[in-house]
Amino acid sequence: MSIGTGVVLFVIGAILVFAVNVEVEYVNLDMIGYILMGAGVVVFLVGIVLLARRRRSEAVTHTSVDPATGQPTSRRTVTSSNDDVV
């Protein structure tokens, strides 16, 4: 999601810089466009970094004896942590 947001911010900034030729008295649209383009690049790079991070998982195997049959049984539990939450 952050990769798409970064692209959208960059595109909106580029439109403001290169396609809009309107003079507004109190606002410099070119500067706002450059700021949006910079923010888009930063958000895009953060999204790439978060996507590249590995998810950690841990597998634990429990061995026990089935009381009905006397046969050993094993149960495997896998836990993973999702570190992508910002």
Side-chain angles (χ1 to χ4, degrees), residues 23-63:
E23 288 292 326
V24 180
E25 188 174 336
Y26 296 107
V27 177
N28 186 353
L29 291 180
D30 287 341
M31 183 57 66
I32 291 175
Y34 286 123
I35 291 170
L36 286 176
M37 288 171 63
V41 168
V42 169
V43 170
F44 181 80
L45 292 176
V46 167
I48 293 293
V49 167
L50 290 177
L51 186 65
R53 288 175 57 178
R54 292 185 180 185
R55 296 178 186 206
R56 290 179 281 188
S57 63
E58 181 179 327
V60 178
T61 304
H62 301 282
T63 305

Side-chain angles (χ1 to χ4, degrees), residues 8-20 32-34 36-37:
V8 168
L9 284 173
F10 188 86
V11 168
I12 292 172
I15 290 171
L16 284 176
V17 170
F18 302 115
V20 176
I32 291 175
Y34 286 123
L36 286 176
M37 288 171 63

Side-chain angles (χ1 to χ4, degrees), residues 52-86:
R53 288 175 57 178
R54 292 185 180 185
R55 296 178 186 206
R56 290 179 281 188
S57 63
E58 181 179 327
V60 178
T61 304
H62 301 282
T63 305
S64 61
V65 177
D66 185 8
T69 62
Q71 297 292 323
T73 60
S74 62
R75 184 182 71 193
R76 185 172 186 212
T77 305
V78 178
T79 59
S80 63
S81 64
N82 187 357
D83 295 334
D84 291 343
V85 178
V86 176

